[in-house]
């Protein structure tokens, strides 16, 4: 009950661009799919032997491009 009078004066995060990171990722993924139509299989991976990864090659490239465009330096 004593917390109901608290007011936020300054937000902890000043990076307001993060809320549409997923939207930008989806757009980058669509561009990657258009440019790689014959290079990858239907799952979005470069054909190779071994287990199928959970995160496709195209998704990795699209996420990297999106993070680079947004100046996100973290690899985590």
């Amino acid at each position: 009950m004593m917390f109901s009078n608290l007011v936020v004066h300054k937000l902890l995060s000043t990076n307001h661009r993060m809320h549409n990171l997923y939207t930008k990722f989806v757009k980058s993924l669509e561009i990657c799919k258009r440019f790689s139509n014959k290079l990858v299989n239907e799952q979005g991976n470069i054909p190779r032997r071994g287990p199928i990864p959970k995160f496709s090659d195209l998704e990795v490239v699209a996420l990297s491009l999106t993070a680079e465009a947004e100046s996100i330096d973290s690899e985590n």
Side-chain angles (χ1 to χ4, degrees):
M1 289 208 191
M2 62 189 246
F3 294 113
S4 62
N5 294 330
L6 293 177
V7 177
V8 176
H9 291 286
K10 184 178 178 184
L11 295 174
L12 294 176
S13 174
T14 58
N15 189 359
H16 299 289
R17 297 179 298 167
M18 290 296 288
H19 70 280
N20 58 357
L21 180 67
Y22 179 75
T23 305
K24 292 178 182 180
F25 165 73
V26 170
K27 289 179 182 179
S28 297
L29 184 59
E30 290 302 318
I31 293 169
C32 289
K33 284 181 182 179
R34 270 191 259 142
F35 281 106
S36 65
N37 55 358
K38 294 184 181 179
L39 299 174
V40 296
N41 57 18
E42 55 274 349
Q43 287 92 19
N45 293 315
I46 297 172
R48 61 180 177 272
R49 292 186 293 169
I52 298 172
K54 293 181 182 179
F55 208 59
S56 74
D57 295 333
L58 281 182
E59 291 172 333
V60 171
V61 170
L63 184 60
S64 178
L65 288 173
T66 306
E68 197 66 36
E70 289 291 309
S71 300
I72 300 171
D73 297 328
S74 176
E75 294 288 330
N76 296 328

